[in-house]
Amino acid sequence: MARYSVYNRHATLSSAVAAMHPMAYLYALQETDLAIDSLRQQIAQIDAQLGETEELIQLKTQVEATRKRIQQLHSQQRDLELETLSLQDKIKGVENKLYGGEITNPKELQGLLEDLQALKKQLSLLEDRLLTLMIEGDEQEKALRKQEERLSQVLTAWQEEQEKLKAERGQLEEQLRLLEAQRDAQVAQVAPPFLSLYEGLRARRQGRAVAKVERGLCGGCHIALPVSLVQRARTGSSPVQCSSCERILYVP
Ligand SMILES: [Zn+2]
């Protein structure tokens, strides 16, 4: 117990470092590990926010659907226009026969007249359908412009947000790399059996394997520790664990 038996608070910095209690190394390691945990959590939170949002996906889908509908309407409109043209030709043909003077048979003329009426009725129905399509087309065009405007706003805000998140993530990654290097240096200061005790406790105790002892209380579970235990934790060079929460006690 020679090397660690006395920890002189009033020593100069360099000798204080040289005389640091082994549990002080573990405690410092834990501070680093907790900071690493927190950084990793923040990075995971950012990762969850990266990528397209529900709102953006919905808006894109909506714009896509409206565009498709407009295409359908245009193609139906073209078909109806062609149908209308051919019907108008037919009507013209019948009218020419009817009024051309070549046909004089009243029965035949009556038949042509009835044909003409039927064709005109058909034409009027076609025109109604065409008008309905054109009205819907106008409405869809208006809706599309609104949807595209909204999409563009949301997209711009989203892109800005994503850039910010990526920059923030980069900074966190940088901090993480520094802390990981610091951790490697700290781990090198800790005896392997202490380290495996520490790792095991950390896994079981929500990342906190080492508890600071303050005014005789365990900083982990806050029970009052026996004086002899605190004394052993202060002076011994091996880990002394809390009798209640098992954490390694560190007496600063
Ligand atoms: Zn405890």
Side-chain angles (χ1 to χ4, degrees):
M1 92 155 68
R3 201 158 93 96
Y4 304 112
S5 57
V6 179
Y7 173 50
N8 184 354
R9 281 169 184 281
H10 306 292
T12 60
L13 187 62
S14 58
S15 63
V17 169
M20 241 169 90
H21 192 279
M23 298 318 126
Y25 284 115
L26 271 186
Y27 191 76
L29 175 62
Q30 176 167 281
E31 296 284 287
T32 306
D33 275 336
L34 288 172
I36 288 175
D37 291 347
S38 155
L39 279 176
R40 288 199 176 131
Q41 229 169 33
Q42 291 174 62
I43 289 171
Q45 275 169 4
I46 288 181
D47 285 346
Q49 293 174 69
L50 286 173
E52 297 196 333
T53 59
E54 202 57 42
E55 187 190 22
L56 189 58
I57 294 169
Q58 269 181 13
L59 283 171
K60 280 185 171 179
T61 310
Q62 196 183 34
V63 164
E64 196 53 43
T66 309
R67 282 184 185 149
K68 214 175 243 173
R69 180 65 190 141
I70 289 172
Q71 273 178 0
Q72 271 178 357
L73 287 170
H74 281 165
S75 123
Q76 285 174 13
Q77 197 179 322
R78 274 193 302 276
D79 289 348
L80 279 186
E81 279 164 354
L82 286 176
E83 237 180 283
T84 305
L85 282 177
S86 102
L87 201 54
Q88 281 167 342
D89 276 353
K90 250 191 207 166
I91 287 173
K92 216 172 272 171
V94 174
E95 279 174 342
N96 285 344
K97 268 192 203 167
L98 191 59
Y99 307 119
E102 275 174 38
I103 295 161
T104 49
N105 181 327
K107 212 173 176 186
E108 213 175 320
L109 286 172
Q110 182 61 31
L112 282 173
L113 203 57
E114 279 164 18
D115 284 353
L116 185 63
Q117 278 167 347
L119 288 171
K120 282 190 168 170
K121 197 173 175 193
Q122 221 179 314
L123 180 65
S124 146
L125 286 174
L126 267 184
E127 283 168 347
D128 284 351
R129 278 169 62 198
L130 198 55
L131 188 66
T132 307
L133 280 183
M134 285 161 77
I135 290 170
E136 198 197 333
D138 279 353
E139 282 166 358
Q140 293 287 346
E141 294 277 1
K142 264 185 226 160
L144 179 63
R145 277 195 292 277
K146 270 191 189 160
Q147 288 165 5
E148 282 175 335
E149 202 179 309
R150 174 93 188 109
L151 175 60
S152 146
Q153 283 168 354
V154 169
L155 195 62
T156 306
W158 175 79
Q159 279 163 343
E160 276 172 21
E161 178 69 12
Q162 293 285 300
E163 286 313 307
K164 256 202 287 186
L165 286 172
K166 280 179 197 163
E168 203 181 316
R169 194 187 193 286
Q171 282 171 1
L172 293 172
E173 284 277 8
E174 186 58 37
Q175 288 175 35
L176 185 60
R177 272 193 293 276
L178 291 174
L179 279 177
E180 279 169 348
Q182 180 176 313
R183 183 183 201 277
D184 289 344
Q186 286 174 321
V187 161
Q189 305 284 336
V190 179
F194 295 3
L195 192 63
S196 55
L197 176 66
Y198 166 82
E199 300 282 17
L201 280 169
R202 227 174 89 74
R204 292 201 301 279
R205 295 283 179 271
Q206 291 82 44
R208 291 177 189 273
V210 187
K212 223 185 229 182
V213 177
E214 274 165 330
R215 284 174 311 226
L217 300 180
C218 165
C221 66
H222 309 292
I223 71 151
L225 299 161
V227 176
S228 59
L229 197 71
V230 176
Q231 188 59 22
R232 265 203 294 132
R234 189 196 313 275
T235 57
S237 53
S238 300
V240 173
Q241 292 172 258
C242 169
S243 44
S244 167
C245 71
E246 294 186 298
R247 288 188 177 87
I248 300 164
L249 297 171
Y250 162 54
V251 189

mmCIF file of all heavy atoms in Angstrom, residues 218 221 242 245, ligand 1:
data_model
loop_
_atom_site.group_PDB
_atom_site.id
_atom_site.type_symbol
_atom_site.label_atom_id
_atom_site.label_comp_id
_atom_site.label_asym_id
_atom_site.label_seq_id
_atom_site.Cartn_x
_atom_site.Cartn_y
_atom_site.Cartn_z
ATOM 1 N N CYS A 218 -22.594 7.055 0.433
ATOM 2 C CA CYS A 218 -22.290 6.564 -0.912
ATOM 3 C C CYS A 218 -23.004 7.476 -1.903
ATOM 4 O O CYS A 218 -24.215 7.675 -1.809
ATOM 5 C CB CYS A 218 -22.783 5.122 -1.079
ATOM 6 S SG CYS A 218 -22.838 4.576 -2.796
ATOM 7 N N CYS A 221 -25.940 5.276 -3.960
ATOM 8 C CA CYS A 221 -27.231 4.895 -3.389
ATOM 9 C C CYS A 221 -27.569 5.684 -2.125
ATOM 10 O O CYS A 221 -28.626 5.500 -1.544
ATOM 11 C CB CYS A 221 -27.262 3.396 -3.099
ATOM 12 S SG CYS A 221 -26.111 2.916 -1.794
ATOM 13 N N CYS A 242 -19.373 -0.490 -2.291
ATOM 14 C CA CYS A 242 -20.460 -0.137 -1.377
ATOM 15 C C CYS A 242 -21.190 -1.419 -0.996
ATOM 16 O O CYS A 242 -21.456 -2.264 -1.855
ATOM 17 C CB CYS A 242 -21.412 0.836 -2.059
ATOM 18 S SG CYS A 242 -22.948 1.097 -1.152
ATOM 19 N N CYS A 245 -25.002 -0.890 -2.919
ATOM 20 C CA CYS A 245 -25.180 -0.856 -4.384
ATOM 21 C C CYS A 245 -23.992 -1.461 -5.140
ATOM 22 O O CYS A 245 -24.031 -1.530 -6.369
ATOM 23 C CB CYS A 245 -25.444 0.565 -4.861
ATOM 24 S SG CYS A 245 -24.006 1.648 -4.766
HETATM 25 ZN ZN ZN B 1 -23.941 2.590 -2.656
#
